[in-house]
Amino acid sequence: MRIDVITLFPEIFSVVRDLGVTGRAHRQAIWQLKTWNPRVYTSDIHQTVDDRPYGGGPGMVMLAEPLKRAVQDIRQDRQQENASPAKVVLLSPTGKPFNQHKAQELANSGGVTFVCGRYEGIDQRFIDHYVDEEISLGDFVLSGGEIAALAMIDAAVRLLPSVLNDAASALQDSFHESLSGLLDSPHYTRPEVFEGESVPDILLSGHHKNISTWRRQMSLKLTLERRPELIVQARHQGLLSPDDEKFLKTLSGK
């Protein structure tokens, strides 16, 4: 998978390129990262990438032309390297919410071109002509799209084959389809007793079926407490078993 990023701050992406599991996977050539600075595609001595908005108002707006040239260069470069065509995705608070399904979708693709905006926004004409999809990390505003892109890259790369030491780890992630889209259950490790609290006896029993049942129940309990809408969603999709529903009734009293 190849990921291209259009950003005024390419050095930020050394985090996913060099560190942790994503860094190891990059060194193993499981995925590839290229960054493209819009300033390279300007034509004035000051490398101007923004200007005042028409109609007035606070802030500055990123120019369409440098971004367009960057996208065109990326398309040409991907073609020369025989990389598959990729969607152009703008990180934007007006975009569709990013979730585990989107992360898996990205991991299954040949890659993506992320556009990281800055300032007050980006000239809408660039968005209309060159952006395939807008994605949001959540209902809040950041100074730029870089942090959102980092999160999305990390979420997708860890799902690629051979990235995690144990491929089964991803199957236990919160929101994963193997958990019916619910939250993961609590985890415990050594010591057996920490500040007077012991590891639940069931996890020390060695009885794998009972442990599996306990984890499913704790997943249901945690999800009901913190993200009840995920229970509703799983029920609507037919992902809850009769045993799940029976356990949920013991929690709600209904």
Side-chain angles (χ1 to χ4, degrees), residues 1 23 41-43 55 57 71 76 82 86 103-104 108 147 151 156 158 218:
M1 181 176 71
Y41 299 96
T42 57
S43 55
V71 168
Q76 184 176 4
N82 294 318
Q104 188 65 64
N108 293 342
I147 292 175
R158 67 188 304 277
M218 292 304 99

Side-chain angles (χ1 to χ4, degrees), residues 1-3 22 25 30-32 78 84-87 89 98-114 133 135 149 151-164 170 173 176-177:
M1 181 176 71
R2 168 173 161 170
I3 294 178
T22 58
I30 295 174
W31 72 291
Q32 182 184 10
R78 291 183 73 97
S84 60
K87 279 185 177 181
V89 172
F98 186 74
N99 54 27
Q100 191 67 21
H101 177 76
K102 282 284 186 184
Q104 188 65 64
E105 187 179 279
L106 176 54
N108 293 342
S109 73
V112 66
T113 295
F114 283 126
E133 186 175 7
I135 298 180
M152 295 179 193
I153 292 170
D154 184 274
V157 169
R158 67 188 304 277
L159 296 175
L160 295 174
S162 303
V163 170
L164 298 179
D173 287 342
H176 195 278
E177 60 184 16

